[in-house]
Amino acid sequence: MIVAERKPLTEIKGMLQGKQRVLVVGCNTCVTICMAGGRKEVAVLASALRLAGLEHVGEETVERQCDMEFLAPLTKLQGYDCLLSTACGIGVQLLGDLFPGLPVYPALNTKFLGVNEDLGCWSERCQSCGDCILDRTGGICPIARCSKSLLNGPCGGSQNGKCEVNGDVDCAWQLIYDRLEARGELDKLETIFLPKDWSHSRDGGPRRIRREDVAL
Amino acid sequence: MKAGSRLEKVLTAGHFAVCGEMGPPRSADAKAIRDKAQYFRGYVDAVNVTDNQTAVVRVSSIASCLILQEEGVEPVVQMTCRDRNRLAIQSDLLGAAALGLKNVLCLTGDHQSFGDHPTAKNVHDIDSIQLIWGVDQMRKGRFMGGDEIKVPPQFFIGGAANPFGDPFAMRVPRLAKKIKAGCDFIQTQVVFDVPRFARWMELVRERGLHREVYIMAGVLPTRSVRALRYMQQDVAGVSIPDECIQRMEKAADPAEEGVKMAVELIQQLKEIEGVAGVHLMPVMWERIIPRLVEEAGLYPRPVVDDD
């Protein structure tokens, strides 16, 4: 899922300066799962804004803010100065497309594509490089999980299974080593991974997929 | 002969090589580089110049190397993958070769969070093994992208190895990959933990890798127990046995003890089969180099062709 985190209230209030009628728009998908921008978080944020003295704060939570189909009904709502989206950056942008004349502000910081590790703990797993290599790295992604995105093994700073950059972070290459060992595939570590083609990643410019087979 | 550098000649002739290391200044101060050159001239075969080490901005390695070369000291360009993509790296390497620089050490680079610009974006378009592969491609006349290079840069290619990093079992396969990618010489992380280094060398010899690459062991002469403690606690990938710390603690004259410890270490390393030389990293203590090299019995340095 896309993992996000709410911005500090002071920052949000700063964005809303001068606005009196705000519609807070939540999303039922990823940000609900990671407890950053679902119906509940919308209610909490809206209350905080009312307490801060805003004249009118509306609340709406849609199924998926990344899908215009679910956003379209919002156009019926009238009389707002601005929208505050508690979706990821994708939802903020799509709402902006739907309301070109109204400011749409981000209430969250979109952090990463990741998993729910434990109660209240999420961590990154994928950088959407566009050309998956997990078959070669024991199912653990060094692009997302090694601080230096190394493709040919650990740097000299891997110590006791942890990354030198942050002792809370597992060394991706330690994980890869352990996984390949468990699978009996340690020989994979001997193959040189040549420079990666990053053109499928964001480096190739904004990406778009068009599929004729599902197009109308 | 791949590049015909002094370092390459010393190693291929079978001499026990001695390298030094220098961090360039944090300002446009050419004199500081020239001043440091005097401590190395004639006492080491080549001097590495770091590339924004610990992710702190300094005079570029290539510019500093040129100054060292003018001062009669053979330089080793350090090139990291943190700050440059494959275009910038190849362009800088063509420039280095055009300036007559012949040795290059290929590194990943310390993470920017440790340095003076922790909010910077890092690059890591390629990693150190891909860099070694790329420099080898270049000297064979091809850019990493495949196009022909009419006048290929001829480099003696180095890489790093850390026998003290984890997972230990990956350290030798990683060395093997560097060799396969085109690495000619290796400089290791600083050795304090001789038993672990010896164990690593044993695994290196088991695969015969010491015959495929020149391995130079890292030596860091130090004059304070504080520096040792700092490295033990705060520098990832360095192993410092408690005995080293205790010995330094008890010393009446820590600087003298530091020299003694480094000399003893060099002698121990020399005895390990497959160690082709030492790489001296006198962090902020360059002036100790002449004495250290002399007391370790490594002076005078061998004379090779064109010296």
Side-chain angles (χ1 to χ4, degrees):
Chain A
M1 76 180 123
I2 295 173
V3 180
E5 198 174 34
R6 207 194 75 191
K7 285 177 178 285
L9 193 60
T10 46
E11 188 182 341
I12 295 172
K13 284 197 280 193
M15 289 184 232
L16 298 176
Q17 212 150 36
K19 308 290 181 201
Q20 283 304 327
R21 302 181 61 80
V22 178
L23 177 63
V24 184
V25 186
C27 176
N28 257 335
T29 312
C30 310
V31 292
T32 294
I33 309 293
C34 69
M35 296 188 268
R39 195 177 303 277
K40 246 200 237 165
E41 292 76 27
V42 165
V44 171
L45 180 56
S47 304
L49 294 175
R50 283 178 203 118
L51 276 175
L54 268 78
E55 188 188 304
H56 176 71
V57 182
E59 300 174 32
E60 283 293 332
T61 295
V62 300
E63 192 54 30
R64 283 200 300 275
Q65 258 189 58
C66 56
D67 203 330
M68 201 52 108
E69 183 188 337
F70 297 103
L71 292 185
L74 294 177
T75 49
K76 289 186 205 136
L77 302 168
Q78 298 289 322
Y80 288 99
D81 297 341
C82 66
L83 285 83
L84 179 62
S85 166
T86 67
C88 65
I90 303 165
V92 179
Q93 294 183 60
L94 204 58
L95 266 184
D97 292 345
L98 189 64
F99 295 94
L102 274 186
V104 180
Y105 299 115
L108 306 188
N109 290 320
T110 307
K111 305 300 264 192
F112 48 77
L113 303 182
V115 295
N116 189 188
E117 261 190 13
D118 199 352
L119 271 183
C121 178
W122 294 267
S123 64
E124 185 162 15
R125 289 294 182 274
C126 177
Q127 284 208 343
S128 63
C129 74
D131 186 16
C132 192
I133 60 164
L134 285 170
D135 56 315
R136 299 166 68 176
T137 58
I140 287 154
C141 182
I143 297 169
R145 301 177 72 180
C146 164
S147 296
K148 300 172 184 172
S149 296
L150 302 182
L151 295 177
N152 278 293
C155 74
S158 174
Q159 203 91 81
N160 304 317
K162 297 295 175 186
C163 172
E164 66 171 359
V165 174
N166 180 343
D168 289 337
V169 174
D170 292 326
C171 166
W173 278 98
Q174 177 76 55
L175 298 175
I176 292 169
Y177 180 86
D178 295 344
R179 181 68 62 78
L180 290 176
E181 190 179 32
R183 290 181 180 178
E185 293 182 348
L186 283 178
D187 56 305
K188 285 197 168 169
L189 297 173
E190 303 277 342
T191 311
I192 295 178
F193 202 124
L194 290 177
K196 186 171 163 65
D197 175 357
W198 293 109
S199 69
H200 306 288
S201 187
R202 228 242 26 113
D203 305 271
R207 293 169 276 180
R208 167 178 279 153
I209 295 173
R210 262 191 207 287
R211 280 181 51 186
E212 299 301 333
D213 59 328
V214 289
L216 281 177
Chain B
M1 212 44 70
K2 299 222 161 104
S5 69
R6 177 185 161 81
L7 179 61
E8 182 179 9
K9 286 175 186 167
V10 166
L11 284 166
T12 48
H15 299 296
F16 192 79
V18 181
C19 278
E21 184 163 307
M22 197 200 88
R26 297 197 64 207
S27 68
D29 184 0
K31 187 172 173 295
I33 300 167
R34 293 187 200 283
D35 287 349
K36 280 188 181 177
Q38 61 174 312
Y39 301 122
F40 294 107
R41 194 184 303 113
Y43 286 93
V44 299
D45 302 308
V47 175
N48 289 34
V49 183
T50 54
D51 177 14
N52 294 336
Q53 89 263 23
T54 64
V56 168
V57 176
R58 292 166 184 276
V59 174
S60 77
S61 178
I62 291 172
S64 309
C65 282
L66 187 64
I67 295 172
L68 278 190
Q69 188 164 261
E70 287 167 4
E71 291 295 314
V73 175
E74 177 166 294
V76 179
V77 174
Q78 289 198 181
M79 179 63 72
T80 70
C81 301
R82 177 195 56 228
D83 309 328
R84 302 172 190 82
N85 69 3
R86 62 191 84 174
L87 279 87
I89 286 175
Q90 292 180 98
S91 157
D92 280 353
L93 288 175
L94 287 180
L99 291 169
L101 306 175
K102 292 175 176 166
N103 306 304
V104 60
L105 184 78
C106 303
L107 301 166
T108 299
D110 298 315
H111 196 266
Q112 77 281 1
S113 60
F114 295 111
D116 61 346
H117 290 77
T119 57
K121 193 167 177 175
N122 61 23
V123 180
H124 299 300
D125 172 25
I126 56 175
D127 65 25
S128 59
I129 289 178
Q130 294 164 344
L131 174 56
I132 290 168
W133 171 85
V135 183
D136 187 49
Q137 289 296 108
M138 288 178 80
R139 68 183 175 184
K140 287 175 182 159
R142 293 273 163 206
F143 285 110
M144 291 185 209
D147 285 354
E148 189 193 345
I149 305 176
K150 287 230 169 63
V151 182
Q154 296 306 330
F155 286 114
F156 190 45
I157 304 176
N162 186 2
F164 312 102
D166 290 326
F168 183 65
M170 261 193 90
R171 294 295 154 181
V172 173
R174 197 162 143 80
L175 173 70
K177 262 168 120 169
K178 289 194 177 184
I179 296 168
K180 206 163 24 159
C183 194
D184 304 312
F185 70 97
I186 288 287
Q187 292 172 333
T188 77
Q189 175 62 286
V190 292
V191 181
F192 287 96
D193 186 347
V194 179
R196 175 149 168 173
F197 180 77
R199 206 158 68 241
W200 179 75
M201 281 302 301
E202 214 177 292
L203 297 173
V204 168
R205 288 194 303 271
E206 263 174 31
R207 289 179 62 157
L209 301 177
H210 62 304
R211 283 191 291 270
E212 296 178 44
V213 75
Y214 300 106
I215 297 173
M216 309 182 71
V219 173
L220 189 148
T222 180
R223 51 189 156 169
S224 83
V225 71
R226 219 183 59 197
L228 283 175
R229 277 209 198 96
Y230 166 73
M231 283 191 285
Q232 190 185 44
Q233 284 157 15
D234 294 325
V235 182
V238 177
S239 164
I240 306 208
D242 291 334
E243 303 88 79
C244 287
I245 306 241
Q246 285 154 8
R247 185 169 163 188
M248 197 55 121
E249 264 171 352
K250 283 190 209 135
D253 184 339
E256 280 302 308
E257 198 63 29
V259 173
K260 233 194 259 174
M261 281 165 72
V263 169
E264 283 170 26
L265 176 62
I266 294 170
Q267 276 151 2
Q268 283 176 292
L269 294 169
K270 260 184 99 168
E271 295 305 311
I272 298 175
E273 190 192 342
V275 174
V278 282
H279 176 57
L280 308 175
M281 290 176 259
V283 184
M284 306 297 286
W285 199 21
E286 288 86 355
R287 65 182 170 78
I288 202 62
I289 288 288
R291 192 180 150 199
L292 193 56
V293 174
E294 278 184 38
E295 289 190 17
L298 298 170
Y299 187 81
R301 301 304 309 140
V303 175
V304 292
D305 302 343
D306 306 319
D307 259 15

